[in-house]
Amino acid sequence: MRINTNIPALNAYTALTRIQSRISVSSRRLSTGLRINTAADDAAGRAISNKLRLQIRGLESASQNSSNAVSAIQTAEGALNEIHAMLQRINELTVYAANGTNTPEDVQKIQLEINQLKEEINSTARTTDFNRISLLNGAADRIINSSTANILRISDNLANSTFNFDLIAPATNSALASTTTFIGGTFPHDSALTINGIFISINAGETVDSAFAKLREAAEFAQLDITMSTDPNGVFESLTSRISGSEYPIVVNSSDAALLDWLGFDTSAGVVTANGIMTIMDIGDDVEIAIHTTTFPVSNSQSPLSANATVTSSGNRVTIRDTAGRLIVADIRPDLLPGNDFELMTLREGALFVQIGANQGDEMQVRIPRINTSTIGIDRLNVGTPDLAQLALNQIQYAINVVSQARAHLGAYQNRIEFTISNVDNNKDNTVFALSRIVDTDMAFEMIEYSKNNVLLQAGLAVIAQANQRPQSILQLIQ
């Protein structure tokens, strides 16, 4: 028997210390509801839980991203719905205009409403944005950077690269000029003419000044600039198209040669058709483009742009198609001079990328095409004559098809993203469940452990008390 070292008491104390530690852990778990409060509780579980938390937070952000993308798509689709409604109204007006029972004044009023609707289409496309991001200006389709040209569209399989071209000749504007001197005084009888389909009536007794006022108004509708002499006996100066290229001519029609002479148009350049109508036309020149040099780094197994690429042009718009059929459409700056090189550099493909997952590469592309009267083909819509109205019906049908296709794509994007949101939310819920199984306290089990350890704690204290009594038995030996 030993006094200095009470082995039973030390053993009981060691056990009591462990029990107190377990009670402390149980108390912490019961009070926080977490099974892992420190890395010492479960080192591997702590590492796994951190990754799961990262995934959960990322999935929450991805769900919010997708919801924002749906809102942006709905904004764009709402604007396209209004554009669609305006196109339907333009189609309705064009059908009215195509009817032979309309007077020229009726047709001119119809054209006036059509022009206003076209302006509103452009205004709607220009002002539609989400979070200050324009949606219908083509920025969500292709974004290209160049100091000398603006790219409208690039084919989907065209690699990011740099193109160098040489401008041979700039596009010119259609112009119609005359050296015929005005006939002074008033016009003797009722007559009429059209300029690019815009009807102008001239009444008996009309003065040159009032006739010019009508010409100015018609030129504005026809997107023409008009200059003239202020002297009633002077010389008619010119009509000039505001749009470059041969597809935008100036056409003056009248069956009254005397009226054309009185207004100063040179009828010697006119062509008399079978029905006796005099047509005066002057065509602008196309811009000429040649490939000067090309730099096209090969990437993603795509071939470089061939030096034999086909280059065609119409006005300021240049179409470049390589031998593989990949397409570039460009708008050339009008101040470029012949012989100047210019560079088209693609910075990125420009689609609207939506981060729909928590990991790298979890993204989808949303493309919203550029929508305005030019891209849907109605910027020069004219219903001034029945023949033009019939042609306009085809143009409107094409425009409606373009807008309908854009809306169909947006609807498909929205449906896909909504399914993505459901899938992301489901992934997040399952990941949360997995995290809960790792880090959350099983309260029932922990209460059992806590109660057990409390009993053991009390038992340990009792054992230590008994063990401390044992050395007192040595006093009996001394007696």
Side-chain angles (χ1 to χ4, degrees):
M1 300 181 67
R2 298 173 177 85
I3 297 175
N4 290 333
T5 305
N6 190 340
I7 300 301
L10 289 176
N11 288 337
Y13 174 77
T14 301
L16 184 63
T17 302
R18 292 176 183 153
I19 292 170
Q20 287 177 324
S21 177
R22 290 201 294 267
I23 289 176
S24 177
V25 170
S26 294
S27 298
R28 187 164 57 245
R29 288 176 177 175
L30 289 170
S31 60
T32 63
L34 297 175
R35 189 181 71 87
I36 303 176
N37 291 282
T38 66
D41 292 337
D42 185 348
R46 168 67 78 172
I48 294 172
S49 67
N50 285 338
K51 290 193 296 182
L52 291 178
R53 284 194 178 92
L54 179 67
Q55 187 77 0
I56 291 168
R57 297 289 290 274
L59 290 172
E60 290 173 348
S61 296
S63 181
Q64 184 62 50
N65 287 346
S66 299
S67 297
N68 290 339
V70 168
S71 297
I73 289 171
Q74 288 174 335
T75 301
E77 204 276 331
L80 291 180
N81 182 58
E82 296 304 317
I83 292 174
H84 209 153
M86 286 185 275
L87 288 174
Q88 295 287 3
R89 175 58 179 166
I90 291 174
N91 185 71
E92 181 182 351
L93 292 170
T94 304
V95 172
Y96 289 155
N99 195 12
T101 60
N102 294 308
T103 65
E105 290 83 359
D106 295 334
V107 174
Q108 188 165 355
K109 292 180 175 63
I110 291 172
Q111 182 69 50
L112 177 62
E113 182 175 352
I114 288 175
N115 289 344
Q116 290 299 314
L117 289 170
K118 287 160 54 180
E119 287 295 323
E120 184 56 29
I121 288 174
N122 287 332
S123 176
T124 300
R126 185 173 58 254
T127 58
T128 299
D129 60 49
F130 179 82
N131 193 29
R132 296 188 178 182
I133 299 173
S134 296
L135 298 177
L136 299 180
N137 68 348
D141 191 19
R142 293 297 182 194
I143 296 178
I144 306 301
N145 180 45
S146 173
S147 60
T148 56
N150 298 317
I151 296 295
L152 300 181
R153 183 166 60 88
I154 293 183
S155 60
D156 290 343
N157 60 351
L158 192 65
N160 293 341
S161 35
T162 300
F163 307 92
N164 295 314
F165 299 94
D166 180 36
L167 183 63
I168 297 175
T172 59
N173 300 71
S174 299
L176 182 60
S178 174
T179 58
T180 302
T181 304
F182 299 136
I183 298 174
T186 60
F187 196 69
H189 57 268
D190 291 342
S191 188
L193 76 157
T194 63
I195 298 179
N196 283 11
I198 304 300
F199 178 81
I200 305 170
S201 64
I202 303 296
N203 302 320
E206 189 100 50
T207 65
V208 172
D209 287 340
S210 64
F212 278 165
K214 293 181 178 180
L215 282 173
R216 288 191 188 95
E217 183 178 2
E220 185 67 29
F221 283 121
Q223 300 189 52
L224 305 173
D225 289 324
I226 185 169
T227 58
M228 62 196 71
S229 171
T230 57
D231 182 358
N233 294 317
V235 176
F236 178 82
E237 298 291 343
S238 67
L239 285 170
T240 305
S241 173
R242 295 175 182 171
I243 306 176
S244 302
S246 61
E247 62 181 349
Y248 302 115
I250 299 173
V251 180
V252 179
N253 292 334
S254 179
S255 58
D256 191 341
L259 174 63
L260 297 174
D261 286 336
W262 184 71
L263 291 173
F265 289 105
D266 184 5
T267 57
S268 64
V271 178
V272 179
T273 59
N275 57 9
I277 297 178
M278 180 77 71
T279 299
I280 301 175
M281 182 182 298
D282 185 88
I283 304 298
D285 296 328
D286 284 351
V287 64
E288 297 180 27
I289 300 293
I291 294 180
H292 181 61
T293 59
T294 59
T295 303
F296 198 119
V298 178
S299 63
N300 299 326
S301 302
Q302 297 188 56
S303 302
L305 181 66
S306 170
N308 297 319
T310 302
V311 181
T312 57
S313 63
S314 178
N316 281 348
R317 182 166 298 178
V318 180
T319 301
I320 306 167
R321 190 184 298 273
D322 71 354
T323 54
R326 295 181 296 232
L327 177 68
I328 301 174
V329 181
D331 278 346
I332 304 303
R333 237 174 47 190
D335 58 337
L336 295 178
L337 298 176
N340 286 355
D341 295 343
F342 64 93
E343 180 182 87
L344 308 181
M345 181 174 61
T346 65
L347 290 184
R348 65 184 180 89
E349 291 184 318
L352 184 65
F353 288 91
V354 181
Q355 184 70 25
I356 58 175
N359 304 316
Q360 181 182 5
D362 292 344
E363 61 184 14
M364 67 171 288
Q365 298 182 20
V366 175
R367 281 200 166 90
I368 306 175
R370 185 179 185 183
I371 298 294
N372 55 39
T373 55
S374 177
T375 59
I376 63 178
I378 62 167
D379 54 323
R380 298 285 291 175
L381 195 69
N382 195 322
V383 297
T385 66
D387 288 341
L388 289 173
Q390 292 295 330
L391 178 62
L393 288 173
N394 289 333
Q395 293 174 309
I396 296 167
Q397 185 58 55
Y398 171 79
I400 290 175
N401 289 340
V402 171
V403 175
S404 296
Q405 185 178 22
R407 294 183 67 184
H409 282 136
L410 291 179
Y413 287 137
Q414 182 174 338
N415 287 337
R416 176 184 172 183
I417 293 175
E418 286 175 349
F419 280 115
T420 298
I421 292 173
S422 297
N423 182 56
V424 167
D425 290 344
N426 183 60
N427 281 345
K428 184 195 71 173
D429 291 343
N430 288 327
T431 306
V432 169
F433 295 156
L435 177 64
S436 176
R437 285 191 292 268
I438 294 173
V439 302
D440 287 344
T441 299
D442 185 336
M443 302 297 286
F445 174 79
E446 204 61 47
M447 279 302 302
I448 293 172
E449 289 294 309
Y450 183 77
S451 300
K452 179 187 73 173
N453 289 326
N454 263 331
V455 172
L456 291 174
L457 176 63
Q458 296 175 29
L461 290 173
V463 168
I464 289 176
Q466 291 294 327
N468 286 335
Q469 293 296 323
R470 293 185 61 188
Q472 297 180 9
S473 63
I474 297 176
L475 294 176
Q476 296 180 2
L477 295 176
I478 297 175
Q479 294 176 357

